[in-house]
Amino acid sequence: MHSSEGAKRQQQRFCGPSVALTFNFAVAVGIIMANKMVMGSVGFKFPIALSLIHYAVAFVLMATLKTLSLLPVAPPSKSTPFSSIFALGAVMSLSTGLANVSLKHNSVGFYQMAKIAVTPTIVVAEFMLFQKKVSSQKAITLAVVSFGVAVATVTDLEFNFFGACVALAWIVPSAVNKILWSSLQQSGNWTALALMWKTTPITIFFLLTLMPLLDPPGLLLFNWNIRNSCAIIISALFGFLLQWSGALALGRKENR
């Protein structure tokens, strides 16, 4: 692809809104189950390290695509300030890291309930920051979907005070992450993979700083046998697909 605009058009041609959202939903369900298994039955009690592994694997995959000249071209550096890329990478580390900490300390049902709260937070934040209003039809749709998820997960709710605090702390960076990502993709002609390539090293750096603060000691003492390592790698592949599918969905947001 010879330009960022051409890459963006090709992405939009092959990945419409329904495809992007369906892809994202399927992967989101898969990664919740995979991460819960890794931190549960596998016994990997290091949620920030798990996030770090996810992004490290994503970086290796994207580096391979770049080597093969398959990574979409990024827009000119002057079109997007480095401060915006840096802020997005930092917020992504908090969003992903706290999501896994929340999943470790909460049931899947409580995690999903916290995730529901992200959407109205985005709506309120976009109204406060950009005076962007949501139509009545979209508001009703969001309410119905949120109610449906709440009903589906209410039987799995388990309250944990520390887990609840982490879940609440996760909501804001998760909402800001989605707003920044969508804004950059729309204003700078970024494709999903090109923006991921730019932000991933920054996210890895911040996850490294978060590990001593939020992860328990003993990472090197974990039993890295083939079974456990394969489970973690599968989780990491889901992580890459989740980030990519989420970026595709956010990139389509303003074109619907």
Side-chain angles (χ1 to χ4, degrees):
M1 289 172 243
H2 301 291
S3 68
S4 59
E5 291 86 354
K8 183 78 176 288
R9 286 195 297 270
Q10 188 171 29
Q11 173 182 288
Q12 292 173 347
R13 188 182 309 118
F14 290 104
C15 188
S18 58
V19 174
L21 289 172
T22 302
F23 182 26
N24 181 244
F25 176 78
V27 174
V29 172
I31 195 172
I32 290 174
M33 297 299 105
N35 284 357
K36 199 65 177 176
M37 179 189 71
V38 167
M39 290 185 282
S41 60
V42 172
F44 192 79
K45 305 296 184 182
F46 313 97
I48 303 299
L50 182 61
S51 302
L52 179 63
I53 293 170
H54 284 190
Y55 279 96
V57 169
F59 185 79
V60 170
L61 291 174
M62 288 186 290
T64 303
L65 292 176
K66 187 174 179 64
T67 301
L68 298 174
S69 300
L70 296 175
L71 193 73
V73 177
S77 57
K78 62 182 180 180
S79 67
T80 304
F82 177 74
S83 58
S84 298
I85 300 293
F86 186 84
L88 179 57
V91 170
M92 283 173 63
S93 68
L94 285 173
S95 175
T96 308
L98 290 178
N100 280 337
V101 175
S102 175
L103 190 58
K104 174 186 174 181
H105 292 281
N106 294 311
S107 65
V108 172
F110 195 93
Y111 174 85
Q112 289 286 65
M113 290 292 285
K115 198 171 183 178
I116 291 173
V118 173
T119 299
T121 303
I122 293 173
V123 173
V124 172
E126 287 189 330
F127 176 75
M128 294 176 64
L129 294 173
F130 308 113
Q131 287 74 50
K132 185 180 294 185
K133 296 181 180 180
V134 177
S135 66
S136 300
Q137 183 180 1
K138 286 186 177 180
I140 293 172
T141 302
L142 289 174
V144 171
V145 171
S146 298
F147 179 75
V149 175
V151 170
T153 59
V154 70
T155 56
D156 187 39
L157 291 180
E158 294 178 12
F159 183 79
N160 175 290
F161 180 73
F162 178 75
C165 290
V166 172
L168 289 173
W170 165 62
I171 290 172
V172 173
S174 180
V176 172
N177 173 41
K178 288 177 171 59
I179 292 171
L180 287 177
W181 193 283
S182 178
S183 176
L184 281 180
Q185 278 200 272
Q186 297 301 325
S187 63
N189 282 321
W190 288 91
T191 61
L193 285 174
L195 191 52
M196 286 167 61
W197 173 250
K198 287 291 186 181
T199 56
T200 295
I202 300 169
T203 303
I204 289 174
F205 169 77
F206 278 99
L207 286 172
L208 285 170
T209 63
L210 288 174
M211 275 180 59
L213 301 175
L214 296 176
D215 272 357
L219 176 62
L220 297 179
L221 299 177
F222 178 72
N223 182 15
W224 294 93
N225 59 32
I226 294 179
R227 173 184 172 273
N228 292 347
S229 298
C230 286
I232 292 171
I233 293 300
I234 290 172
S235 170
L237 293 175
F238 268 110
F240 170 73
L241 292 175
L242 179 68
Q243 188 185 1
W244 184 28
S245 63
L248 289 172
L250 288 170
R252 298 295 305 181
K253 182 179 176 183
E254 300 299 328
N255 297 315
R256 276 179 277 168

